[in-house]
């Protein structure tokens, strides 16, 4: 088996829900040795409602991780975690700054304790600024980043994304920051450093030119539903079988192809639709014409027609569609992983795909505290008696 690119890198996951632990998951996918610290008796939120359970979500997002239990609310627990930290290349946490300070896990303290460790702080609003002590989740970050405001139909209230988009975007930013910082440490002798990532920043960085447009014209980006005011046609349409298909023919070349496919080549030559600006000015009329044509086809037939004409299109896929789709399967975007409780469990594959050192799923989410002995005895050198005492005191 090919050695994974992050083999030998130790990651301590001191986090829960969701961007920070997924940051560690992404690192584990590519070979990092990830140790997750969980609350004794209860475990991580994604385990499910029962104490110490193993949900399918846990099996997926705690894959390639080891589990130890430790009560950081106790001084003894905090002393143990401070003993652990210098033995790791990376520490990932998402506690609020007031908690970090009260527990002695703030950047100043840990940088002094572990100068060669990359310290990743994924917090709601960052470690600095007037809102730094506030808590957040994906929903709140989406609101604060301006993402929710621009999502939905113009005549309705804004809506949040159906998935925890910002959490996962932030996780990729966090993983990118880790490998960048490790590269600097290991090639330039730069030592460890602090990664200060605010959850909302992932959503804000995806805001295209909204800020630049506002700065230069005063224009505030508003909700436009499925349409883009400057790129026409690009929207979703209802087919004869009641499904929806998304198509994008917003360039002049693509629109000429679409016009020919619809049997209306004259549209692409008309003054009303020949240019991008003209199509934007006459969008409602054009969408009416396309909508009538789309309504004559089933979703699958329409997607096939459009793609064969080299016009990007796809039915709006639900998760059942995705699970059955041959491209997802044959490309390996989703994989089936054996799990002791759930059998062959479908989950997203390690992404992105690397040609020489692809990521791998070596284990699914572990039982609560399954690696206490390995870590506390093997790494810290605690004795059997000390382990028994810590367990009796509820520290682990």
């Amino acid at each position: 088996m090919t050695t994974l690119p992050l083999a030998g890198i130790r990651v301590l996951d001191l986090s829960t829900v969701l961007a920070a632990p997924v940051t560690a998951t992404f690192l584990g996918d590519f070979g990092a040795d990830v140790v997750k610290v969980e609350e004794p008796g209860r475990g991580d939120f994604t385990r499910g409602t029962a104490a110490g359970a193993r949900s399918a979500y846990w099996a997926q997002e705690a894959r390639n991780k080891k589990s130890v239990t430790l009560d950081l609310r106790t001084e003894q627990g905090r002393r143990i975690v401070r003993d652990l930290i210098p033995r790791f290349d990376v520490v990932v946490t998402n506690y609020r700054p007031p908690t970090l300070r009260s527990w002695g896990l703030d950047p100043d303290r840990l940088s002094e304790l572990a100068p060669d460790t990359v310290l990743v702080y994924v917090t709601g609003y960052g470690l600095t600024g007037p809102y730094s002590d506030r808590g957040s989740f994906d929903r709140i970050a989406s609101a604060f980043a301006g993402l929710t405001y621009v999502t939905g139909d113009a005549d309705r209230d804004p809506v949040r994304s159906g998935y925890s988009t910002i959490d996962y975007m932030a996780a990729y930013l966090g993983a990118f920051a880790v490998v960048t910082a490790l590269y600097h440490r290991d090639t330039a002798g730069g030592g460890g450093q602090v990664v200060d990532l605010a959850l909302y920043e992932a959503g804000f960085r995806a805001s295209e030119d909204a800020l630049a447009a506002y700065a230069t014209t005063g224009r505030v980006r508003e909700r436009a539903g499925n349409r883009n005011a400057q790129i026409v046609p690009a929207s979703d349409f209802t087919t004869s079988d009641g499904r929806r298909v998304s198509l994008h023919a917003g360039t002049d070349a693509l629109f000429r192809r679409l016009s020919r496919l619809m049997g209306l080549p004259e549209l692409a030559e008309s003054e009303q639709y020949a240019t991008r600006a003209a199509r934007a000015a006459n969008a409602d009329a054009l969408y009416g014409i396309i909508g009538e044509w789309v309504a004559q086809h089933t979703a699958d037939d329409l997607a096939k027609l459009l793609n064969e004409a080299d016009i990007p299109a796809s039915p709006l896929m639900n998760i059942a569609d995705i699970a059955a789709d041959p491209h997802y399967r044959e490309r390996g975007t989703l994989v089936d992983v054996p799990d002791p409780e759930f059998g062959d469990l479908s989950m997203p594959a390690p992404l992105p795909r690397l040609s020489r050192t692809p990521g791998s799923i070596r284990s699914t989410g572990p039982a609560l505290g399954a690696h206490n002995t390995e870590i506390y005895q093997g790494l810290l050198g605690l004795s059997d008696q000390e382990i028994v005492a810590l367990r009796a005191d509820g520290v682990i």
Side-chain angles (χ1 to χ4, degrees):
M1 180 178 176
T2 303
T3 300
L4 293 169
L6 296 181
I9 297 296
R10 284 179 174 167
V11 178
L12 188 62
D13 180 359
L14 295 174
S15 62
T16 186
V17 190
L18 185 60
V22 175
T23 296
T25 302
F26 289 158
L27 298 171
D29 282 351
F30 289 92
D33 184 8
V34 181
V35 176
K36 182 171 184 65
V37 174
E38 301 188 72
E39 183 178 352
R42 179 177 299 178
D44 189 83
F45 179 87
T46 55
R47 282 184 174 276
T49 54
R54 291 183 72 258
S55 66
Y57 200 8
W58 169 258
Q60 172 182 298
E61 296 307 356
R63 67 195 193 192
N64 299 325
K65 294 185 181 183
K66 298 173 181 177
S67 169
V68 299
T69 51
L70 190 62
D71 189 350
L72 296 178
R73 295 178 179 84
T74 67
E75 179 52 42
Q76 199 169 9
R78 295 192 292 271
R79 188 162 56 247
I80 290 172
V81 84
R82 286 194 290 268
D83 287 341
L84 283 172
I85 285 170
R87 293 170 167 81
F88 284 80
D89 299 282
V90 181
V91 175
V92 183
T93 188
N94 62 350
Y95 293 110
R96 294 192 202 182
T99 301
L100 294 169
R101 291 190 293 269
S102 67
W103 288 358
L105 300 177
D106 55 280
D108 290 343
R109 178 74 181 273
L110 294 193
S111 294
E112 182 179 351
L113 178 68
D116 291 325
T117 299
V118 175
L119 306 169
V120 184
Y121 292 88
V122 184
T123 59
Y125 294 88
L127 297 173
T128 62
Y131 305 157
S132 59
D133 288 356
R134 294 181 181 179
S136 186
F137 291 99
D138 180 278
R139 174 182 297 276
I140 308 307
S142 181
F144 190 69
L147 186 61
T148 304
Y149 182 83
V150 299
T151 305
D153 293 322
D155 59 347
R156 297 187 180 184
D157 291 336
V159 294
R160 170 187 172 266
S161 169
Y163 291 128
S164 297
T165 305
I166 286 186
D167 275 330
Y168 283 83
M169 290 169 62
Y172 273 117
L173 277 179
F176 168 74
V178 166
V179 296
T180 302
L182 288 174
Y183 179 84
H184 179 258
R185 184 195 72 174
D186 296 340
T187 63
Q193 59 182 297
V194 174
V195 175
D196 178 4
L197 176 59
L199 194 58
Y200 75 88
E201 289 171 334
F204 174 67
R205 188 61 184 88
S207 62
E208 302 175 1
D209 67 337
L211 182 60
Y214 176 72
T216 54
T217 68
R219 179 174 63 87
V220 174
R221 177 80 71 95
E222 299 289 347
R223 292 181 297 288
N226 288 312
R227 298 186 185 181
N228 184 316
Q230 278 73 49
I231 302 175
V232 177
S235 190
D236 300 343
F237 300 87
T238 302
T239 57
S240 62
D241 53 351
R243 296 172 66 193
R244 298 278 282 177
V245 169
S246 183
L247 71 84
H248 190 310
T251 68
D252 292 347
L254 286 172
F255 184 62
R256 285 193 293 270
R257 293 175 199 164
L258 178 62
S259 298
R260 290 195 298 269
L261 184 64
M262 291 192 300
L264 299 169
E266 66 274 10
L267 287 179
E269 307 301 327
S270 70
E271 183 177 341
Q272 194 174 7
Y273 305 124
T275 66
R276 175 177 161 184
R279 291 192 297 275
N282 297 283
D284 287 342
L286 180 57
Y287 279 124
I289 295 170
I290 296 171
E292 290 181 4
W293 175 75
V294 165
Q296 301 171 29
H297 304 275
T298 66
D300 290 338
D301 288 345
L302 178 66
K304 186 172 186 291
L305 280 172
L306 289 165
N307 281 292
E308 286 178 347
D310 204 15
I311 300 166
S314 173
L316 271 61
M317 307 275 278
N318 63 32
I319 199 63
D321 297 326
I322 288 171
D325 188 86
H327 186 83
Y328 274 86
R329 288 285 177 182
E330 292 175 25
R331 179 169 164 78
T333 306
L334 63 80
V335 292
D336 292 331
V337 182
D339 180 89
E341 187 171 349
F342 300 105
D344 287 339
L345 182 62
S346 296
M347 63 179 67
L351 299 170
R353 183 171 289 101
L354 302 184
S355 63
R356 293 189 177 181
T357 56
S360 69
I361 302 171
R362 302 171 300 284
S363 63
T364 53
L368 181 63
H371 300 89
N372 280 355
T373 299
E374 174 185 337
I375 301 303
Y376 293 138
Q377 291 191 323
L379 197 58
L380 291 187
L382 299 183
S383 67
D384 289 340
Q385 291 78 13
E386 288 173 309
I387 296 291
V388 169
L390 289 170
R391 189 174 290 115
D393 291 340
V395 177
I396 64 173

